[in-house]
Amino acid sequence: MLKFFNSLFGRVVIALVAGIVIGAVFPHFAQSLRPLGDGFLKLIKMVIGPIVFCVVVSGMAHAGDLRKVGRVGLKSVIYFEIMTTIALVIGAVLAYATRPGVGMNINLHSLDPASLSTYTENAKSLKDTAGFLLKIIPDTAINAFATGDILQILVFSVLFGSALSLLGNKAQRVSSLIDELSQVFFRVM
């Protein structure tokens, strides 16, 4: 049992249960703790991009044969699509069963439509396959990290990792640096 309490999973479960209990018993106090949760989420978002970059680049650089990386990549995409579809089905079933938001008495006329402008602009650029493909290519590598666009970071990481893999021993120092950086970012996490 002590092993459960010392594991990350155990701590997350304990925090989840504590949050539910505090929210149910002391709702005003729970609301005052919101900045802690928001700050925690921002801290996680801060390191996700660099961690994805380091893990993908390191994995590709150490894989050796790019064909092997391609096979693993294809299997990963298929797995991702299947799991995403299952998650969407579960979410849709639960939404129809639990009907979230019912009884909240929100006046739709009082909502600010301008706050949705960012989402509608993004949706306009994704109307076709060409728009989607152009959207996943970052304008600059730094911009992908600055905006936190994980798909753009992933595209850059794959290109960077492929280049390191093709360079072989010539890129050993860069590859070692990225391995060390990944350890640092995981410690930050």
Side-chain angles (χ1 to χ4, degrees):
M1 193 65 165
L2 185 61
K3 188 175 179 180
F4 173 77
F5 290 115
N6 287 332
S7 71
L8 178 62
F9 175 74
R11 291 177 183 175
V12 168
V13 169
I14 292 167
L16 184 65
V17 170
I20 291 169
V21 169
I22 290 171
V25 177
F26 305 108
H28 293 295
F29 177 67
Q31 279 292 334
S32 71
L33 295 177
R34 184 180 176 121
L36 291 175
D38 292 346
F40 178 73
L41 290 175
K42 286 183 79 162
L43 287 169
I44 294 218
K45 283 182 181 178
M46 175 182 71
V47 293
I48 285 176
I51 286 175
V52 166
F53 174 77
C54 290
V55 167
V56 170
V57 170
S58 180
M60 290 185 74
H62 294 297
D65 184 17
L66 285 179
R67 284 179 284 209
K68 187 166 74 171
V69 173
R71 285 191 297 273
V72 170
L74 179 63
K75 290 176 186 176
S76 298
V77 168
I78 292 169
Y79 175 79
F80 174 78
E81 291 298 329
I82 291 170
M83 290 298 126
T84 301
T85 303
I86 291 170
L88 286 171
V89 169
I90 290 171
V93 168
L94 287 174
Y96 282 115
T98 61
R99 299 176 43 99
V102 170
M104 291 184 65
N105 299 325
I106 296 174
N107 183 1
L108 295 177
H109 297 293
S110 66
L111 296 177
D112 181 20
S115 64
L116 296 176
S117 64
T118 304
Y119 300 108
T120 56
E121 289 301 318
N122 282 339
K124 286 179 186 175
S125 68
L126 301 176
K127 281 192 264 186
D128 56 1
T129 305
F132 172 74
L133 292 175
L134 288 174
K135 178 88 170 108
I136 66 171
I137 300 172
D139 292 330
T140 66
I142 302 301
N143 187 49
F145 287 96
T147 59
D149 191 327
I150 297 300
L151 197 52
Q152 290 183 353
I153 292 171
L154 192 58
V155 167
F156 175 68
S157 302
V158 167
L159 294 173
F160 197 91
S162 298
L164 283 182
S165 182
L166 291 171
L167 286 172
N169 289 335
K170 293 178 187 175
Q172 185 57 41
R173 289 191 320 193
V174 176
S175 183
S176 296
L177 173 67
I178 290 175
D179 290 343
E180 292 174 22
L181 278 174
S182 69
Q183 292 177 12
V184 171
F185 286 119
F186 275 111
R187 289 287 179 196
V188 169
M189 181 69 103

